[in-house]
């Protein structure tokens, strides 16, 4: 059996040995990173490999698991001149979260905990429930009151136990973290567990392969807890260090204007969150996170790439969803945030000029219906 890499705290360097059920740094309580610096395979060597994210085996910290559902290798289609969309809503559970969830389920299957728990506003919970079902692992998912009924139905259909928390997304996370400290529990946290990030990074490895060994000038990424953005930063670093790309794309992060703590910190020039951001209603419920635990890492990654933060209004989200639907793409209201920012009337669209860009369409419209 392949040995697992250790985890470590990026803030104070505390190490957590492989095989541990610890879900955070025992010293500061912060999220962990993985001591894993792989070298990607060359473009030519990928031919004939499995048509899933597991084709990038050299970069993944786990071997192909029994619980795979063939996740990854989603289509890349043009939207406008210079801007393409990666259709990550065409995953087994209809969201990009499958990329990370399969890694968590595979890790849990190796560690054999008594039970698995997760917290989510919907998509991560459905993905973890599905892959735990595939791995025959008992699973409990904590969700906030007000989660989309369609997502609740999907979680329950996979056999997971649902615990609805009275309160917002932050209250839900606190409830799950309290349970995570119990003996024999594996906390399948898409925020704290670094294996999730090593799943989401395959989004960029696929783009690199699809574009013939290059990346676009700009990667536009929705940010709540930042798991797709941080995964993208990991992949870009791997490809650049290996000499497989000669320049790094700029990472442009998008938040809903209604709940934009990271964008506010960015505008203030801060290295961490500033003040307390209240929760407000938004169509982009999946990225409505008031206190992302990896805030410092997210801000640092965007700055290092030469990118920026952008916010979109509720009207822009609504119009972007209808616009994509008119192009044949029915995407949930959170998943259209990047297109809302990149359209000609969006905060990024006017500044792209001739630069190429890719936006992820992260979740299927069937999960939430139309905004408004």
């Amino acid at each position: 059996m392949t040995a697992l890499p250790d985890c470590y705290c990026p803030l104070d360097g505390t190490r957590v040995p492989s095989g541990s059920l610890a879900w955070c740094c025992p010293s500061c309580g912060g999220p962990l990173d993985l001591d894993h610096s792989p070298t990607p395979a060359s473009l030519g060597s990928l031919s004939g490999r499995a048509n899933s994210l597991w084709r990038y085996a050299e970069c993944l910290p786990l071997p192909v698991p029994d619980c795979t559902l063939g996740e990854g290798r989603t289509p890349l289609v043009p939207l406008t001149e210079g801007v393409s969309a990666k259709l990550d809503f065409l995953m087994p559970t209809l969201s990009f979260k499958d990329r990370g969830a399969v890694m968590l389920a595979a890790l849990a299957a190796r560690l054999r905990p008594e039970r698995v728990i997760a917290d989510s506003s919907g998509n991560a919970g459905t993905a973890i429930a599905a892959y735990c079902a595939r791995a025959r692992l008992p699973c409990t998912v904590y969700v906030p009151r007000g989660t989309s009924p369609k997502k609740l139905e999907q979680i329950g259909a996979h056999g997971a136990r649902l615990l609805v928390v009275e309160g917002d997304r932050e209250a839900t996370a606190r409830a799950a973290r309290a349970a995570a400290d119990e003996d024999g529990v594996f906390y399948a946290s898409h925020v704290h567990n670094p294996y999730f990030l090593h799943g989401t990074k395959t989004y960029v490895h696929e783009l690199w392969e699809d574009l013939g060994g290059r990346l676009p000038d700009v990667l536009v990424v929705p940010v709540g807890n930042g798991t797709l953005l941080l995964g993208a930063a990991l992949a870009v670093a791997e490809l650049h260090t290996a000499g497989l790309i000669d320049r790094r794309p700029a990472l442009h992060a998008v938040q809903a204007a209604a709940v934009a703590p990271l964008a506010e910190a960015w505008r203030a020039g801060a290295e961490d969150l500033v003040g307390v951001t209240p929760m407000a209603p938004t169509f982009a419920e999946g990225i409505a996170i008031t206190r992302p635990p990896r805030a410092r890492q997210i801000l640092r990654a965007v700055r290092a790439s030469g990118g920026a933060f952008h916010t979109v209004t509720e009207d822009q989200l609504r119009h972007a969803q209808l616009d994509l639907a008119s192009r044949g793409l029915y995407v949930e209201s959170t998943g259209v945030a990047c297109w809302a920012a990149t359209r000609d009337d969006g905060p990024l669209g006017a500044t792209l000029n001739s630069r190429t860009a890719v936006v992820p369409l992260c979740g299927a419209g069937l999960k939430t219906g139309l905004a408004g």
Side-chain angles (χ1 to χ4, degrees), residues 20-316:
S20 171
L21 289 177
W23 60 271
C24 66
C25 173
S27 298
C28 72
L32 298 170
D33 282 350
L34 203 60
D35 190 0
H36 182 61
S37 300
T39 300
S42 65
L43 190 65
S45 68
L46 297 175
S47 178
R49 293 193 180 191
N51 192 34
S52 71
L53 63 81
W54 298 98
R55 68 196 283 112
Y56 311 108
E58 290 86 353
C59 291
L60 298 175
L62 290 167
V64 183
D66 292 337
C67 62
T68 180
L69 291 166
E71 53 287 330
R73 299 297 294 143
T74 54
L76 181 67
V77 301
L79 287 178
T80 60
E81 182 67 30
V83 180
S84 296
K86 184 110 167 96
L87 310 190
D88 255 27
F89 66 90
L90 298 179
M91 288 276 196
T93 76
L94 307 182
S95 92
F96 88 94
K97 297 289 177 63
D98 289 5
R99 294 185 183 276
V102 67
M103 302 297 293
L104 296 186
L107 177 60
R110 287 178 61 134
L111 299 180
R112 304 310 305 178
E114 294 176 15
R115 60 192 178 105
V116 175
I117 67 168
D119 60 282
S120 170
S121 59
N123 283 339
T126 59
I128 290 167
Y131 284 96
C132 281
R134 184 76 168 175
R136 297 292 187 265
L137 293 167
C139 179
T140 299
V141 180
Y142 292 71
V143 296
R145 178 72 64 184
T147 298
S148 164
K150 295 178 181 180
K151 293 179 181 179
L152 297 180
E153 179 182 342
Q154 188 179 5
I155 293 169
H158 291 307
R161 180 189 176 203
L162 268 168
L163 285 179
V164 179
V165 176
E166 297 295 339
D168 60 15
R169 183 68 183 83
E170 292 298 315
T172 304
R174 287 194 297 270
R177 290 168 195 164
D181 289 330
E182 298 174 8
D183 291 340
V185 172
F186 177 87
Y187 183 23
S189 171
H190 59 292
V191 183
H192 283 78
N193 194 307
Y195 279 82
F196 196 91
L197 305 181
H198 284 266
T200 62
K201 74 181 181 184
T202 58
Y203 170 85
V204 166
H205 283 288
E206 289 179 21
L207 285 180
W208 171 76
E209 183 181 1
D210 291 340
L211 294 173
R214 60 184 178 85
L215 289 174
D217 300 317
V218 173
L219 291 171
V220 191
V221 189
V223 174
N225 278 309
T227 55
L228 184 54
L229 185 141
L230 291 174
L234 279 173
V236 168
E238 290 171 1
L239 292 166
H240 189 263
T241 299
L244 295 173
I245 54 173
D246 57 9
R247 56 166 183 79
R248 301 184 186 219
L251 296 173
H252 284 259
V254 181
Q255 295 205 287
V259 184
L262 290 160
E264 291 170 13
W266 172 266
R267 295 187 190 111
E271 295 182 357
D272 205 343
L273 301 178
V274 291
V276 178
T277 300
M279 179 62 74
T282 175
F283 297 134
E285 61 181 13
I287 54 173
I289 307 297
T290 59
R291 296 196 63 80
R294 293 187 185 268
R296 293 178 67 90
Q297 288 178 281
I298 297 165
L299 289 162
R300 190 183 309 119
V302 172
R303 284 197 176 95
S305 76
F309 277 82
H310 310 274
T311 59
V312 291
T313 66
E314 299 305 292
D315 279 346
Q316 287 174 317

